[in-house]
Amino acid sequence: MKFLIFFVALLIINANAELTCEERFGVSLCNECQNEVWDFGRDPLGCGFFSNLFNEIEHSSFFLKYNLTVYNEIIKNSCSADFSCSYDEGKKIWKKVEEKCANELTVYIDWSANPSLLDHTVVSSYATILSYYSAVPEHNSICHKTSSGELCGIEAIKPLVDWLKKEIPEGNVQFSYDFKYVYKKDGTRIQIPMELVGYCGECGKNMIKEYKTWMDNFSVPDVILNNVFGNNLEALQGYFSCPLIL
């Protein structure tokens, strides 16, 4: 399985509501693609579940100090809020992004690279499409309660945090967008152990069910399947299997 929440959520270049589009992308004037993903990135409701959730995590102390108290509270609040999203609602959004970001979506991305070295506009284009396609199964995965009553968004992250505290106790890390590596502040790259990525528990099995049902009923956007997964549906499905197939 993949880690619940992070595989998709870490793709999202979220917008701090206090920043302008130009400040977020570091430009003097946003182009139509940047404006398009910026507008959707500020929508905290419905299919914008990811943007709101990760924006809060990104601006908390989690990535700096692995603060699970803050992280857990964000997950609980997000899962207790009303949620409503359909495939058609999400599709209306990502189709607009495909139109406005046509050039950006032709740019090659090394998803294992240090995120700080990648083009935010290009990554944001893919992220918006993928997040709006996956909003329903990811919400249902993160907010699923285990037999012990714990939310999977909280339960599934514990082994990762334990490993990070031992491997990089100083914190301040970034994950590659394919979630194979973690980057330290100085740029050092460390591979994430396969036993963490490939663990299959109650949360993983529920996630597999949610994503399998969703992908069986609704086609993956072509630009994601072709440009991110090399036009290989099996490669995409491998991220939602026990054990994980990479």
Side-chain angles (χ1 to χ4, degrees), residues 31-41 96-97 100-101:
N31 61 29
E32 62 177 5
C33 175
Q34 291 164 336
N35 277 318
E36 195 74 17
V37 298
W38 171 257
D39 287 340
F40 291 134
K96 291 181 180 178
V97 175
K100 300 294 185 181
C101 301

Side-chain angles (χ1 to χ4, degrees), residues 72-134:
N72 292 350
E73 190 65 25
I74 292 172
I75 295 294
K76 290 177 181 177
N77 289 340
S78 296
C79 289
S80 65
D82 292 337
F83 175 77
S84 177
C85 177
S86 70
Y87 173 80
D88 288 336
E89 288 173 323
K91 186 175 182 179
K92 287 180 182 178
I93 293 173
W94 85 63
K95 281 297 184 182
K96 291 181 180 178
V97 175
E98 286 182 343
E99 177 186 350
K100 300 294 185 181
C101 301
N103 291 332
E104 286 78 4
L105 291 169
T106 64
V107 175
Y108 170 77
I109 290 288
D110 177 3
W111 300 105
S112 293
N114 188 331
S116 63
L117 303 179
L118 298 177
D119 187 313
H120 281 3
T121 303
V122 174
V123 172
S124 295
S125 303
Y126 284 108
T128 303
I129 295 170
L130 183 55
S131 65
Y132 276 85
Y133 168 75
S134 306

Side-chain angles (χ1 to χ4, degrees), residues 133 209-219 233 237:
Y133 168 75
K209 181 189 72 174
E210 291 287 347
Y211 269 90
K212 183 180 186 305
T213 300
W214 190 257
M215 287 189 286
D216 284 347
N217 290 324
F218 306 110
S219 299
L233 183 59
Q237 292 171 335

Side-chain angles (χ1 to χ4, degrees), residues 150 165 172 202 228:
E150 186 66 275
K165 287 180 177 179
N172 201 7
E202 184 178 346
V228 179

